[in-house]
Amino acid sequence: QVQLVESGGGLVQAGDSLRLSCAASARSFSSYTMGWFRQAPGKERAYVAAISASGRYTNYADSVKGRFTISRDNAKNTVYLQMNSLKPEDTAVYYCAASDSSWVDATASAYRYWGQGTQVTVSS
């Protein structure tokens, strides 16, 4: 019902920046809370950031606060994750997700729709 496609991942050096994009195929994109999660090999899926449907409210995991910025362009059905000052520990597959809840949520179970992920690798 809702398709999400991430792009923008790649291999970068520590201290570099990347901007991830998530394109949504949904009639009511502007009604969804959107989130970013990441998963490294052998580790559980971890919350990164979330943004409310209107874009008014944002929330970040402590590990990325001050370095990452989540934003959205509802006219383009796209959510972004600007990642600055990247660290090797940021290496993971990054997933965008959509929730039909009306509030920002840091819990993965709150998100109903998920993209396929995009790989981000940060070298030392």
Side-chain angles (χ1 to χ4, degrees), residues 38 46-49 60-68 84-85 87 89-90 94:
R38 64 188 182 185
Y47 170 74
V48 176
Y60 300 91
D62 288 342
S63 60
V64 306
K65 194 172 298 181
R67 298 188 298 122
F68 291 11
N84 298 328
S85 301
K87 304 174 180 179
E89 51 262 44
D90 295 319
Y94 283 70

Side-chain angles (χ1 to χ4, degrees), residues 23-35:
S25 177
R27 291 188 180 92
S28 302
F29 175 76
S30 62
S31 69
Y32 290 99
T33 293
M34 298 296 296

Side-chain angles (χ1 to χ4, degrees), residues 65-113:
K65 194 172 298 181
R67 298 188 298 122
F68 291 11
T69 302
I70 187 171
S71 62
R72 67 192 296 160
D73 186 340
N74 286 344
K76 296 182 178 180
N77 280 19
T78 303
V79 62
Y80 304 95
L81 185 69
Q82 178 66 46
M83 305 184 295
N84 298 328
S85 301
L86 283 162
K87 304 174 180 179
E89 51 262 44
D90 295 319
T91 296
V93 176
Y94 283 70
Y95 300 90
C96 68
S99 171
D100 52 16
S101 297
S102 299
W103 57 88
V104 173
D105 202 314
T107 305
S109 62
Y111 294 82
R112 186 172 185 174
Y113 308 102

Side-chain angles (χ1 to χ4, degrees), residues 33-57:
T33 293
M34 298 296 296
W36 285 97
F37 293 78
R38 64 188 182 185
Q39 187 167 22
K43 298 182 179 179
E44 291 187 325
R45 183 171 49 193
Y47 170 74
V48 176
I51 187 168
S52 63
S54 68
R56 174 179 289 271
Y57 302 103

